[in-house]
Amino acid sequence: MAITGKPLGATAGAMIFSQGGNAVDASCAMLAAVCTMWDVLSWGGETQALIYNPHTKKVIAINAMGVAPTGATVEFYKEKGMAYPPEFGPLAATTPGTPGGLMTMLAEYGTMSLEQVLAPAMQMAKGYPIEAQTANMIENNKDKIKEWPYSKKVFLPHLGEEREAPHAGEIFVQEDLYNTLAKLVEAEKQALKKGKSRKEAIYAAYERFYKGDIAQEIVRGTREQGGLFTMEDLAKWKVKIEEPLTVNYKGIDVYKLQEWTQGPALLQSLNILENFDLKAMGYNSANYINTLYQAMSLAFSDRDFYYGDPDFGPKSPMKGLLSKEYAKERAKLIQEKNDETIGPGDPYPFQGETNPFLDLLSKRKDALAYDRPELPIQGPEDPFLAHFLAGTTSIQATDKEGWVVSVTPSGGWVPATIAGNTGIGLSQRMQSFVLDERLNPFNVLEPGKRPRVTLTPSMALKDGKPFLSFSIQGGDTQDQDLLQLFLNIVEFGMTVQQATEAANIHNYQIQSSFGAHESKPGSIELNTQIPAWVRNDLRNRGYKMNFLDRTSGPLNAIWFDWKHGTFWGGSSNHGEDYGIAW
């Protein structure tokens, strides 16, 4: 089964399966394809994954998040008058992570060559009929794109005409990107000729990307446009294979990436919600929505203050944050009416320590930004929403051998700065750092550090076997939708397809990880299906509501039916996400 954000991307995965590849091979082919299609990401972005290995029965975490380059300091950005690193441009870019992540996954857990898994993407780089969604995104962002010469060359084939972007259905050609991918394949082939193993040959391509002529052009092209990358930044960066974090919810082990992502907020939310009888409340009742909203506010406020790159000090208090005892204390704060003042708690006593940041915690509110908190979201085009939902796609794959892969790659979305003549769009993830330690002492910008990102693949095991693999695009709403998908299946008995299309809520009280990092306390997004009596009840509890026809988010998931020995796939009706199974 192969599921991702675009039908052509899912087809790339299915092609690899038909050639005998495993779920990791198929995931790598899908990743390459969606990067080439600019499905709200590109090749210079970041990749993070959870992989279930059927031979070890373990879940592995892949950390292919780029880092802040040399010279990217708090002082550098503050001198430019910025409260945060920018949303776009070369100064928004962390080092490229996706190529390294793809090649590491393939080398360590795949079975095929890089040439085989890149073949669909290389065909598309030579030219494919671009779909309307991406073509229109390019046209709508063309003024920004024109700021960067290499982006203009790739994205705007009709310069000077009324429409400068490609037309829907036009053959979109990316010759520079094709040449970059061809260099990777060439490096692999040369290594194989020298008698290197499949794995060693893939890592030879990795070396060429991060230390060879591709790296040189990335650095040259980025610096020419005002960026900070150095050759040493790319050469020193490494993909990390990590232990995921996990909690048990009613007999189900749920896995997320470490605290350099927002993933543990889902685990914290589950720990808090375990203290309530959600099933008895009823799906999307006022009591359920109120409890769910406040549980998310509690967990995400901890995210906003305590999460950051564990390779840098100070060390996040994850033991306390993920303890059941801490969750019980946090659950006591959930009230009949929404509490707009909910903030981070103190997890340190729950790991036998004293909180060294109580002074900063007391000053945090002075540093927070609010976006017209008195108003609900002003329709689907509200700029506040655009920040919350920025970027990302999702990839799900599994096979008969038992490999399961959940990926949320992102970064380098349109309008992206393209790095010289490589065809590679750079990440915009620097904006997720903070420059003020009052907001989060664990996520203050430093060179070589990974920002605390929203990217968050998910996996769950039951009785030691895969139960659910799930991921989504959507910025800060990712773990909100993933939490509800999980509860829809576990608590409310939905099938995986029903759960991907269900009427979710979104909490905008949490702080955005993008733009000006604003929040809207008490703001809630509801589905238009929510009945009047529930709306009235929520209004009386202090919520400011907006409504959309579709609120599931673009969820993709695979549920494992061990009774019948089958997979059930789900892909929401929210966007262009698509799955192919055989």
Side-chain angles (χ1 to χ4, degrees):
M1 183 172 284
I3 311 175
T4 190
K6 298 276 188 184
L8 277 180
T11 304
M15 287 165 65
I16 293 301
F17 275 138
S18 71
Q19 294 165 28
N22 72 5
V24 179
D25 299 319
S27 296
C28 291
M30 287 191 277
L31 174 57
V34 292
C35 285
T36 302
M37 296 179 75
W38 298 89
D39 179 22
V40 288
L41 80 163
S42 87
W43 276 95
E46 46 273 350
T47 286
Q48 29 288 308
L50 292 170
I51 300 173
Y52 175 76
N53 183 335
H55 306 298
T56 63
K57 315 290 187 199
K58 299 272 192 212
V59 179
I60 308 136
I62 302 292
N63 174 346
M65 178 66 229
V67 298
T70 300
T73 62
V74 169
E75 295 71 32
F76 175 85
Y77 287 98
K78 281 189 171 177
E79 282 169 9
K80 292 184 174 294
M82 298 177 184
Y84 295 91
E87 291 177 65
F88 300 108
L91 291 179
T94 50
T95 56
T98 288
L102 186 154
M103 288 185 270
T104 298
M105 287 194 290
L106 183 64
E108 298 293 335
Y109 309 109
T111 67
M112 300 179 95
S113 68
L114 188 61
E115 182 178 21
Q116 286 172 299
V117 302
L118 291 187
M122 291 177 74
Q123 280 185 284
M124 285 197 291
K126 273 289 189 187
Y128 75 97
I130 193 167
E131 73 284 18
Q133 183 188 45
T134 304
N136 292 337
M137 198 187 307
I138 293 169
E139 177 67 14
N140 293 338
N141 286 280
K142 66 183 179 182
D143 290 342
K144 199 83 187 154
I145 288 166
K146 287 177 186 175
E147 295 177 20
W148 309 304
Y150 302 100
S151 302
K152 185 168 68 173
K153 180 177 81 163
V154 171
F155 287 128
L156 303 176
H158 307 298
L159 272 174
E161 298 177 21
E162 186 179 346
R163 183 187 175 95
E164 297 179 299
H167 296 268
E170 181 179 338
I171 302 299
F172 181 49
V173 179
Q174 300 172 77
E175 201 63 47
D176 286 345
L177 177 60
Y178 176 85
N179 291 335
T180 296
L181 300 180
K183 286 175 182 176
L184 296 177
V185 171
E186 181 186 37
E188 178 188 49
K189 280 182 172 173
Q190 287 175 349
L192 288 169
K193 275 184 190 169
K194 291 174 183 171
K196 300 289 186 186
S197 67
R198 183 194 75 90
K199 184 172 172 179
E200 289 168 333
I202 294 167
Y203 281 127
Y206 183 116
E207 290 286 304
R208 185 169 185 180
F209 187 92
Y210 287 98
K211 295 180 181 176
D213 55 344
I214 299 172
Q216 287 169 352
E217 180 59 14
I218 289 171
V219 170
R220 186 205 67 76
T222 303
R223 293 184 75 84
E224 179 196 327
Q225 297 174 92
L228 300 172
F229 290 178
T230 67
M231 285 295 290
E232 189 181 12
D233 289 333
L234 270 63
K236 278 173 64 177
W237 180 83
K238 290 282 184 290
V239 177
K240 295 170 72 71
I241 300 174
E242 301 178 334
E243 286 278 326
L245 296 173
T246 183
V247 301
N248 185 280
Y249 181 85
K250 299 185 177 181
I252 300 168
D253 294 311
V254 184
Y255 292 84
K256 299 294 285 188
L257 297 173
Q258 293 180 12
E259 66 271 20
W260 57 274
T261 75
Q262 69 172 335
L266 182 142
L267 304 181
Q268 284 189 250
S269 299
L270 286 174
N271 278 347
I272 292 167
L273 291 168
E274 208 169 27
N275 294 284
F276 299 89
D277 189 346
L278 302 178
K279 194 173 184 179
M281 291 180 187
Y283 169 70
N284 276 0
S285 67
N287 278 341
Y288 174 69
I289 290 171
N290 179 61
T291 304
L292 181 66
Y293 186 99
Q294 291 185 64
M296 291 195 291
S297 295
L298 289 160
F300 280 83
S301 62
D302 281 342
R303 174 201 77 164
D304 292 337
F305 189 77
Y306 290 113
Y307 291 15
D309 186 347
D311 286 352
F312 283 70
K315 185 166 173 52
S316 296
M318 293 312 298
K319 186 179 176 186
L321 286 166
L322 294 182
S323 72
K324 298 286 187 183
E325 295 73 25
Y326 178 64
K328 273 182 191 162
E329 288 303 307
R330 294 291 269 167
K332 291 174 186 173
L333 299 174
I334 292 177
Q335 303 174 14
E336 282 295 305
K337 289 193 169 184
N338 181 47
D339 181 0
E340 293 190 3
T341 68
I342 283 175
D346 183 2
Y348 281 90
F350 297 87
Q351 58 184 42
E353 298 173 15
T354 303
N355 193 335
F357 298 109
L358 289 176
D359 181 48
L360 284 180
L361 205 48
S362 67
K363 299 173 182 172
R364 181 173 176 270
K365 282 194 175 158
D366 299 333
L368 285 170
Y370 298 100
D371 182 287
R372 297 172 300 164
E374 73 285 355
L375 294 174
I377 302 292
Q378 301 298 294
E381 303 305 316
D382 193 314
F384 177 78
L385 266 191
H387 286 150
F388 248 80
L389 302 173
T392 316
T393 194
S394 71
I395 293 168
Q396 295 293 322
T398 189
D399 62 32
K400 61 185 178 183
E401 192 183 344
W403 289 94
V404 188
V405 187
S406 181
V407 196
T408 47
S410 191
W413 51 77
V414 176
T417 305
I418 290 179
N421 296 304
T422 62
I424 287 174
L426 297 174
S427 168
Q428 297 101 335
R429 198 59 59 171
M430 287 286 289
Q431 64 184 298
S432 290
F433 279 114
V434 300
L435 306 182
D436 185 339
E437 67 171 359
R438 292 176 300 172
L439 289 168
N440 182 346
F442 301 87
N443 188 36
V444 177
L445 170 63
E446 288 182 58
K449 189 174 184 178
R450 290 169 170 85
R452 196 280 297 150
V453 297
T454 52
L455 309 159
T456 180
S458 314
M459 202 170 284
L461 306 187
K462 189 175 182 182
D463 302 322
K465 296 187 290 191
F467 171 74
L468 187 67
S469 184
F470 51 123
S471 58
I472 189 173
Q473 71 179 73
D476 287 282
T477 61
Q478 285 181 43
D479 274 313
Q480 300 187 35
D481 284 315
L482 293 167
L483 173 66
Q484 289 169 85
L485 172 105
F486 180 83
L487 295 171
N488 290 343
I489 293 169
V490 173
E491 295 287 358
F492 300 113
M494 294 187 193
T495 68
V496 67
Q497 183 60 35
Q498 288 169 334
T500 62
E501 295 187 19
N504 289 348
I505 71 161
H506 291 136
N507 176 330
Y508 296 118
Q509 183 159 312
I510 70 174
Q511 190 186 347
S512 172
S513 302
F514 305 95
H517 292 234
E518 295 165 313
S519 70
K520 289 176 80 78
S523 219
I524 187 171
E525 186 169 86
L526 298 167
N527 195 282
T528 48
Q529 295 172 24
I530 297 291
W533 59 88
V534 175
R535 299 182 187 196
N536 290 337
D537 194 333
L538 292 172
R539 192 174 290 112
N540 292 335
R541 295 177 194 241
Y543 290 101
K544 297 179 274 284
M545 295 172 279
N546 74 290
F547 300 91
L548 291 177
D549 291 338
R550 295 180 184 180
T551 56
S552 66
L555 282 158
N556 290 319
I558 301 171
W559 178 74
F560 295 83
D561 181 353
W562 289 99
K563 182 179 177 183
H564 302 106
T566 53
F567 311 136
W568 292 47
S571 190
S572 85
N573 59 356
H574 199 90
E576 295 185 297
D577 298 71
Y578 197 81
I580 299 175
W582 178 253

